[in-house]
Structure formats: structure tokens, C-alpha cells
Amino acid sequence: GARMNFQNLCDTSLDHEMVASVKNETRTTLRVLHLLREVDRRRLYSKLKYQSLVDYAVQRLGYPYDQAWRRIDAMRLLKEMPEIEEKIASGSLNLTNIGYAHAAFKAEAKKIAPLSKEEKLEFLSRIENKSTRETQKIVAEEFGKEVLIRETVKPVTATVSMLNLPVTDDLLADVEDLKGLLAHSHPGLSTTDLFRLMAKEKLAALRTKREGIQKKQKVTPFAAPRKCDDGVRTKDVETRYVAASVNRKLWLRDQSSCRNCGSKYAIQRDHKVPFGKNGKTNLDNLRLLCRSCNQRAAIEQYGLNKMSKFFSANKRDSAEARQR
């Protein structure tokens, strides 16, 4: 395209051009947020084999990691409170400040109780037209400095990453107590070694439980038993019950990963042909999917309008949460 050159503009025209461009930029940002919301609603990123919405934003849309999160946070807050749309469009609330507010709201919900919509709107009004530094100060005074620290993972080498996360004094004390208790069996245990040890032990326990849980499960048909002509109740031919041997083969065959996007987060069993459409509960018709891909599969089978009511925001696939 033609090279942009504004050197010949007079001061008044340059100022007008600048103001108009900023207004257009904020309108474009608002459009992006609404498009992101629809991508999220349809779980379109799962259809395109991305493990999460943030992966889609970074890998498909080309946003840097932090900018992707700013837009996702703003989209989620806009979905919850449509009242802030005009403030985003006017630029009085920018993506960075919304991101800090969203993080603070989530932290408060975990620590004490969720803020009401009115309380959130009141706080957002306090950070309108504020600089990033001013917003950080307001957030820290209201919710504590720790909410300003985000968990991040940054690659250092091909095989090593740097993990940055906020921890409380209680957690640090527990870590030191664990090191002390393990001092004889694991002398010189570093924090990294401890996390590795705990992760391996927890994984082993969960895998054992996963493989053995079906043995303890009572064979109970999900559908009501049918009656024969003579009135005697009989078992249904098909149930959702998965035999332990089939369950083990399934997890081994699919390598404990989503068959669609490869994620290992929130893995669930899924019927390729839905059970509600007479799909069989056997190895050929079963597969492992992550929660988001499972939801996308349900959308494709039953339609978005029918399935949306089952997709609670509180039960959102939090593959994103582990990436922050």
C-alpha cells in the first residue's frame, strides 16, 4: 500500500487525524472483543484444534501473550457487564486497566466472596481515565498488591522454563515443612525437586484411581429399564457404563490426551456417536476429549442454542488458567 506520510498536514489537521484514528482504534478493539466472545461461545478454537482461547489468540491471531490475555479478560468482563461497552468504546476504560480489575475481582471471589455487579461497576468507575500506574495503586489499596502479580511461564531454553507465581506465607511454610520431613529420604531437596516429586506422586495416584475406579462402579443403566410384553422389567441393552478393561484400553490408546487438540487438561470420555443418538458404549465409539473439545462436539451434534445453557461460566475449561 501507499506509504503514510503526515508531514504536510497542518497542526490542526494532524490533531484531528490523531483523534479520529484513536476513536477508530477503540471501535475496532470493541469489535474484536465481540468477535472473541462469539469464538468462545461456539468453542470455535476447539474445532480449529487449539487447546484454549488464549492459544487461539496467540497462535492464530498473532497477539503477544500479554495482549491476548488483556482482550480475553476484557471480553469476559464485557460479557458479564454490558454496561461498560460505551466506556471501552470511548477509551475511558482501556484493556490494561480492565485486566487488573478482572484479576482483582477473581481473587476477591476466591478469598472472600464474589463482588456484586454493582460493586464491580463502582470500582470500574474509579479507574476510568486513569493511567496504568494509578490503576495499579487503586487495585493494590483495595485488594492487595498480590493481585497485581500474574502467574507466568517463560521459556528459558528448549527444555527449561521460568515459573513466576505469587505464594502466601502459609504456602512457603508448608513447603519448608515438607522439605524437613523429607530430609532423610531426599537430602538437599530443592523447591524444584519437591514440586517434581509431588507432581509425580500425585499423577501416579490419580492414574491408579482412574484405571481402577470402574471396578468399584455399580453397573446402573442411565436410561429407565424397559418392560417386556409380559410386564417383567429387563436391563437395557446399552448403558453409559464403561468396563474397567475398556477404560484402561481407552486411556492407553488415546495416551491420556484429547484426540482433537492434544491437550491433557480436563480430559473426559466422549461418545463419537452420542449415547442419546443410540451410540454404543464400546472402545470403537469412545474417545478422550478435553472439556472444550467435548463441548464443541456436543454443539456440532445438538446445536449451539441447545447446548449453551449447559456451559456454565463457572465450569469453564480452565486450560487458560494454568497458562497465566
Side-chain angles (χ1 to χ4, degrees), residues 205-231:
L206 288 173
R207 285 167 179 161
T208 300
K209 180 180 179 181
R210 183 195 69 207
E211 293 173 359
I213 193 169
Q214 292 291 338
K215 296 179 181 179
K216 302 177 183 178
Q217 193 177 50
K218 185 179 180 181
V219 182
T220 304
F222 276 63
R226 293 193 296 266
K227 288 185 178 180
C228 295
D229 293 337
D230 58 4

Side-chain angles (χ1 to χ4, degrees), residues 29 199 235-236 252 256 306:
T29 296
K235 291 183 179 180
D236 282 305
L252 182 63
S256 303
K306 182 174 181 178

Side-chain angles (χ1 to χ4, degrees), residues 8-233:
N8 295 326
L9 292 178
C10 67
D11 290 348
T12 301
S13 297
L14 178 59
D15 176 60
H16 288 170
E17 183 69 26
M18 188 72 252
V19 171
S21 295
V22 170
K23 286 183 178 179
N24 183 62
E25 183 179 38
T26 55
R27 284 195 295 268
T28 300
T29 296
L30 191 60
R31 179 179 174 84
V32 166
L33 299 185
H34 281 292
L35 288 168
L36 266 180
R37 177 178 176 180
E38 185 62 17
V39 168
D40 189 42
R41 190 174 79 95
R42 299 185 190 187
R43 304 300 192 270
L44 179 59
Y45 56 88
S46 293
K47 179 180 180 180
L48 299 175
K49 300 187 184 300
Y50 293 99
Q51 295 186 12
S52 65
L53 184 60
V54 70
D55 283 345
Y56 172 82
V58 171
Q59 299 172 30
R60 175 69 169 168
L61 305 181
Y63 285 115
Y65 186 77
D66 59 335
Q67 292 186 26
W69 268 118
R70 289 173 191 168
R71 283 156 179 80
I72 291 171
D73 284 343
M75 177 271 289
R76 298 259 162 83
L77 212 54
L78 177 61
K79 178 181 177 181
E80 180 185 352
M81 293 178 287
E83 296 90 338
I84 69 174
E85 179 165 337
E86 183 55 40
K87 296 177 180 181
I88 296 174
S90 68
S92 62
L93 278 177
N94 62 57
L95 298 182
T96 300
N97 292 355
I98 289 174
Y100 283 122
H102 189 254
F105 297 159
K106 288 173 64 178
E108 192 72 3
K110 290 180 180 179
K111 185 170 58 176
I112 302 176
L115 296 176
S116 68
K117 183 176 180 179
E118 291 71 24
E119 288 174 321
K120 291 179 181 179
L121 287 172
E122 189 279 328
F123 182 80
L124 288 169
S125 69
R126 290 167 54 192
I127 62 173
E128 285 184 49
N129 299 307
K130 294 292 192 296
S131 68
T132 298
R133 186 177 294 277
E134 288 172 327
T135 297
Q136 288 175 330
K137 182 179 180 181
I138 294 170
V139 169
E141 289 174 348
E142 182 76 19
F143 300 100
K145 292 182 178 180
E146 62 272 10
V147 302
L148 299 174
I149 307 171
R150 294 195 174 188
E151 184 175 321
T152 58
V153 179
K154 295 183 179 180
V156 178
T157 69
T159 58
V160 176
S161 295
M162 183 67 70
L163 173 64
N164 178 58
L165 69 162
V167 296
T168 63
D169 289 342
D170 289 343
L171 177 54
L172 286 176
D174 288 341
V175 167
E176 292 306 313
D177 285 348
L178 273 172
K179 288 181 181 179
L181 292 170
L182 293 168
H184 292 296
S185 58
H186 297 80
L189 194 68
S190 68
T191 303
T192 300
D193 293 333
L194 177 62
F195 285 172
R196 184 184 295 112
L197 178 64
M198 291 190 298
K200 287 186 177 298
E201 289 185 353
K202 189 64 175 178
L203 279 170
L206 288 173
R207 285 167 179 161
T208 300
K209 180 180 179 181
R210 183 195 69 207
E211 293 173 359
I213 193 169
Q214 292 291 338
K215 296 179 181 179
K216 302 177 183 178
Q217 193 177 50
K218 185 179 180 181
V219 182
T220 304
F222 276 63
R226 293 193 296 266
K227 288 185 178 180
C228 295
D229 293 337
D230 58 4
V232 178
R233 295 169 68 85

